[in-house]
Amino acid sequence: VANLVLDTDYAALTADDRIAQAAPLSFDAATFEIWGALLNGSCVVMVDKQTLLDPDALARDLQARAVSVMFLTTALFNQVAQLKPAAFAPLRLVLFGGEAVNADHVRSV
């Protein structure tokens, strides 16, 4: 767990970050979300499934709660990026993985 979230070369997490916890606890991304926050002095911000699956609600929630880091499945990233790319505007860092990403969606974000 420490190798995943401390002094990494892919994501610099800080005590100032507010990391969205949106993955189901059985998904490996939850390890990054929870332990990434706790081991770096960051804040964990819980995002419920209903909000996560509604791009407009997600955009409002990320902005209102000053979320700075989020990890998503690539499929969800592609969906939100297609429907509401501005949802990611408040984030300092967006991570996604699990499958190929749509390059146009990355450019739009």
Side-chain angles (χ1 to χ4, degrees):
V1 171
N3 287 339
L4 176 68
V5 298
L6 291 174
D7 299 321
T8 67
D9 61 355
Y10 71 92
L13 303 175
T14 72
D16 294 329
D17 281 317
R18 295 177 55 80
I19 301 174
Q21 200 290 298
L25 294 177
S26 60
F27 185 52
D28 59 352
T31 302
F32 172 86
E33 296 167 340
I34 296 166
W35 289 104
L38 295 177
L39 292 175
N40 288 284
S42 307
C43 179
V44 177
V45 179
M46 305 298 288
V47 179
D48 65 76
K49 185 176 180 179
Q50 183 176 345
T51 300
L52 187 65
L53 298 178
D54 178 342
D56 290 321
L58 180 61
R60 287 189 302 272
D61 195 51
L62 296 176
Q63 179 73 40
R65 300 192 323 157
V67 172
S68 59
V69 177
M70 186 169 208
F71 189 105
L72 301 165
T73 63
T74 304
L76 185 55
F77 171 83
N78 283 333
Q79 179 183 355
V80 174
Q82 179 180 9
L83 299 173
K84 184 98 176 175
F88 298 115
L91 300 176
R92 180 181 69 76
L93 184 61
V94 179
L95 300 130
F96 51 85
E99 58 192 345
V101 68
N102 182 312
D104 290 336
H105 294 155
V106 173
R107 282 188 285 276
S108 72
V109 170

